[in-house]
Amino acid sequence: MNAPARWLAGGGAALVLTIAACGTPGSSSEDDGPARVEGEEITAPVTADEVAELGDVTLRVLADAGEESTLTELIPEYEELYPNVTVEVEYRSYDDIVRTEANTLSGGDPPDLAQGAQGYALDGALVEAGLIRPLDDLAEAYEWFDRYGESTLGEFRWSDDGTRFGTGSIYGISPVVSMVGVYYNKAKLDALGLELPHTFADFEAALATAQAAGEQPIMFGNALKSTGLHIFGVVQGQNVDPAVTRDWISGTDGATFDTPENVATATTIQEWAQQGYFGEGYNGLAEDDAVARFAAGEGVFLIGGTWQMAAIQAGGGDFGFFPMPPGESGLHVASGSLGMGWHVSTESEVVPAAAAFIGLITSDEWAQKLADLGRVPVLAQQIDASEPLFADAVAGSGTILADGGNTYSFDWATGTMMASMGGALQELMDGRLTPQEFVTPIQDDWAAFQAER
């Protein structure tokens, strides 16, 4: 593990968030060294005077819709620090960003800054087409190697032709962690006489107890397919070394999804569905609607990401969060990574302004503001983590990261993996596929993509 620990203090307790990704690809080699930065190179943190030299300019930003509350806070501060810059933001859903961003950046008037999505489906395509600028100079200027840790930056490294993930130049950065874990309704757990589960077997026993008492064990909405991948990730962690999963997602030669361990994972998920643990109609229920129902008091557990915390808090109930308890490996494993990366367009004529924006949102000073907005910051020193659910999310994310249990996201593996794996999971849960029939086409998708790459 090559990463620093950051202490988070609040509520009288010290929480540690350790950025670690044991076995992940990371450093560049001589063959895949940093790309030459076209145009202006950033050699030190950008100053207000340097930005002022641009004259009165507009910084155009394309961001995920989930960033709106963050940027609503950040942009006024940014414009006060750099008064010659006006920031214009367009928000799109995650699905729209993955589907449309390459066309937007290759158009005649691209944004200067754009959030991408790690993996081959989007970021690889942006690098391959030469649409985003390598950020190795920013990494040096803003000391990302010391502040983030080399292994953590691996998910933003690409060969310059966009065909190799995890090695080469750095093309993005994010200030937050996105980790999948288990939310729970404290009142319902108490009413059922249940303690927090410490092992995966304990968790399955809690699901059976909730079902027997007439409660819906897991609130789940899988209409857009992505939440099924989250559930697969936390169950797979009981059977598969997380480094093996990361190797498969990043395209390591010889990796395979068609293994007895993944068949066992699929078997468990199919059994949960057959036992009614997900309730009725989950494949037609949107993720946001399922989260809203959980926040309103339906369901005992919800398997979801730290990005859903604000919506759950808005329900006003008493909720907690924990990493999926481990199986025999003793490791806490889940789909997880840094948040969506910030990229700089190769066509931007206001690179210093774009660099200053990234410098602000990734600063130590902004970590507390991210925390206040319910985001789990990557870099946090003495942040206030006194709100109980937020403190749980920070501690749970730290536990997963300290175990090297963050496996990235399955949809990073190929340009079509979200559709392939998400659709297959829906069929698996409905009983239309056997566990073996589920894993085979997923590996076929991966192998076909790797052959073309």
Side-chain angles (χ1 to χ4, degrees):
M1 300 184 187
N2 177 21
R6 304 291 183 188
W7 288 96
L8 300 97
L15 306 175
V16 64
L17 177 59
T18 304
I19 304 302
C22 304
T24 56
S27 59
S28 58
S29 67
E30 290 184 6
D31 294 334
D32 297 292
R36 183 172 66 87
V37 175
E38 298 291 343
E40 189 163 4
E41 184 172 357
I42 305 299
T43 59
V46 176
T47 67
D49 288 342
E50 289 169 332
V51 175
E53 290 175 3
L54 297 170
D56 291 336
V57 296
T58 298
L59 180 69
R60 298 179 60 237
V61 178
L62 174 61
D64 178 69
E67 294 286 337
E68 187 166 4
S69 61
T70 298
L71 297 190
T72 297
E73 294 289 329
L74 181 132
I75 289 171
E77 180 175 335
Y78 174 88
E79 291 180 335
E80 182 176 353
L81 290 170
Y82 309 101
N84 62 302
V85 183
T86 299
V87 180
E88 292 182 357
V89 186
E90 177 186 353
Y91 295 103
R92 296 182 189 174
S93 70
Y94 175 84
D95 290 338
D96 282 345
I97 283 177
V98 173
R99 182 171 52 86
T100 66
E101 185 170 304
N103 287 337
T104 298
L105 287 177
S106 61
D109 188 24
D112 302 289
L113 278 169
Q115 281 190 290
Q118 294 95 312
Y120 292 101
L122 181 55
D123 280 6
L126 299 179
V127 173
E128 182 178 7
L131 298 174
I132 56 176
R133 176 189 188 278
L135 302 181
D136 301 280
D137 56 338
L138 271 70
E140 292 288 351
Y142 288 94
E143 300 180 340
W144 292 349
F145 301 105
D146 292 334
R147 297 168 64 235
Y148 275 67
E150 175 58 53
S151 61
T152 306
L153 298 171
E155 64 194 69
F156 294 116
R157 284 191 180 277
W158 288 91
S159 62
D160 298 331
D161 60 3
T163 62
R164 295 185 63 194
F165 168 48
T167 187
S169 295
I170 297 169
Y171 281 89
I173 197 67
S174 172
V176 295
V177 170
S178 294
M179 203 66 60
V180 174
V182 184
Y183 292 94
Y184 67 100
N185 185 312
K186 292 183 178 180
K188 292 199 172 190
L189 217 63
D190 289 343
L192 293 168
L194 294 171
E195 302 288 337
L196 281 182
H198 295 290
T199 66
F200 188 71
D202 291 342
F203 181 73
E204 290 199 290
L207 298 179
T209 298
Q211 177 81 348
E215 294 281 0
Q216 181 170 328
I218 300 174
M219 178 53 63
F220 180 48
N222 196 35
L224 294 179
K225 304 178 183 179
S226 58
T227 44
L229 275 64
H230 299 157
I231 287 182
F232 190 91
V234 295
V235 178
Q236 185 202 46
Q238 316 310 310
N239 304 309
V240 182
D241 185 323
V244 172
T245 300
R246 289 192 295 266
D247 282 346
W248 182 79
I249 290 172
S250 58
T252 301
D253 290 345
T256 182
F257 191 84
D258 192 349
T259 65
E261 292 80 9
N262 282 332
V263 170
T265 300
T267 300
T268 296
I269 292 172
Q270 189 173 70
E271 289 173 349
W272 285 6
Q274 291 170 343
Q275 290 160 351
Y277 289 170
F278 301 124
E280 299 290 335
Y282 50 84
N283 277 336
L285 181 65
E287 177 183 7
D288 289 347
D289 292 336
V291 171
R293 289 185 183 184
F294 181 75
E298 296 185 41
V300 179
F301 300 105
L302 181 140
I303 296 173
T306 51
W307 58 89
Q308 293 158 333
M309 184 170 18
I312 291 172
Q313 287 173 319
D318 194 4
F319 300 101
F321 178 93
F322 58 86
M324 180 62 78
E328 292 183 5
S329 71
L331 300 177
H332 298 80
V333 179
S335 298
S337 65
L338 302 193
M340 296 171 67
W342 286 102
H343 304 307
V344 178
S345 168
T346 51
E347 297 298 314
S348 177
E349 297 180 354
V350 292
V351 169
F357 184 99
I358 292 175
L360 179 61
I361 201 170
T362 59
S363 66
D364 289 344
E365 293 77 16
W366 241 81
Q368 180 63 56
K369 297 176 183 179
L370 290 166
D372 292 341
L373 292 164
R375 314 286 302 276
V376 179
V378 176
L379 304 172
Q381 296 162 323
Q382 302 300 317
I383 72 165
D384 178 6
S386 57
E387 198 285 321
L389 181 57
F390 179 76
D392 282 355
V394 171
S397 298
T399 297
I400 294 167
L401 291 165
D403 280 356
N406 53 312
T407 59
Y408 297 162
S409 297
F410 293 105
D411 57 298
W412 296 5
T414 77
T416 55
M417 188 55 66
M418 175 65 80
S420 297
M421 189 171 180
L425 275 165
Q426 287 184 333
E427 294 186 73
L428 174 77
M429 293 177 178
D430 284 347
R432 289 176 283 157
L433 292 179
T434 67
Q436 181 60 58
E437 290 170 338
F438 162 77
V439 302
T440 300
I442 293 172
Q443 179 58 24
D444 289 345
D445 182 333
W446 184 92
F449 179 82
Q450 296 301 321
E452 291 178 1
R453 188 167 65 86

